[in-house]
Amino acid sequence: MKNLIYVKRKFIFFGIVNVVFSNLLLQLLLLINFVPISISTLIFILFNASLGYVMYGKFVFNISKIINRKYIIKYFFTLISSWFFLNIVISYASSLKISPNLSSIIMIPFLATYSFLMQKYWIFKN
């Protein structure tokens, strides 16, 4: 139990770092409106996932060999499902005249929870 609390704290710390940098990128992409929402969210998810994979794998779940085909395939599945879910929510919220920026910010805790659970109990499961 004590170890789980420590892992959660590390995940939250590195998650905040990841969220800040990734969401700055997403907010900028949505603000300039240069590419469609689906491309903006895909760029965000790819950036977020690359940074997160290394930080969470190495520093949270203590994986020594981070370049592992099994981990990468599972992480990729999680990445695609996160992107799909985020894209659907932002598009739906936009149809209700809710700002894509606001809806993407609202999604942060849901995506973070999903990400932690997938990494802890499936991707990097010991």
Side-chain angles (χ1 to χ4, degrees), residues 44-75:
F44 157 74
I45 291 289
L46 291 172
F47 180 81
N48 179 276
S50 300
L51 186 59
Y53 181 79
V54 172
M55 287 193 312
Y56 302 136
K58 276 206 161 304
F59 304 118
V60 176
F61 298 107
N62 301 317
I63 304 300
S64 58
K65 291 187 104 183
I66 197 73
I67 306 301
N68 177 304
R69 187 177 183 176
K70 181 179 77 170
Y71 295 152
I72 291 171
I73 290 169
K74 289 178 178 182
Y75 201 86

Side-chain angles (χ1 to χ4, degrees), residues 34-122:
F34 184 69
V35 294
I37 288 172
S38 60
I39 301 300
S40 294
T41 57
L42 181 61
I43 292 168
F44 157 74
I45 291 289
L46 291 172
F47 180 81
N48 179 276
S50 300
L51 186 59
Y53 181 79
V54 172
M55 287 193 312
Y56 302 136
K58 276 206 161 304
F59 304 118
V60 176
F61 298 107
N62 301 317
I63 304 300
S64 58
K65 291 187 104 183
I66 197 73
I67 306 301
N68 177 304
R69 187 177 183 176
K70 181 179 77 170
Y71 295 152
I72 291 171
I73 290 169
K74 289 178 178 182
Y75 201 86
F76 180 76
F77 172 78
T78 303
L79 163 75
I80 294 300
S81 60
S82 294
W83 171 74
F84 185 72
F85 185 53
L86 179 61
N87 193 47
I88 287 172
V89 169
I90 290 175
S91 295
Y92 180 70
S94 293
S95 75
L96 299 174
K97 307 293 187 224
I98 298 171
S99 160
N101 298 77
L102 179 60
S103 58
S104 68
I105 290 169
I106 291 169
M107 288 301 298
I108 292 170
F110 299 103
L111 292 173
T113 301
Y114 172 72
S115 179
F116 176 78
L117 294 172
M118 292 298 283
Q119 290 178 63
K120 173 77 177 149
Y121 297 108
W122 187 53

Side-chain angles (χ1 to χ4, degrees), residues 3-22:
N3 186 41
L4 181 59
I5 292 169
Y6 180 68
V7 168
K8 284 181 182 179
R9 285 184 181 160
K10 286 195 329 186
F11 187 87
I12 290 169
F13 171 77
F14 286 106
I16 289 170
V17 171
N18 195 2
V19 163
V20 167
F21 287 111
S22 299

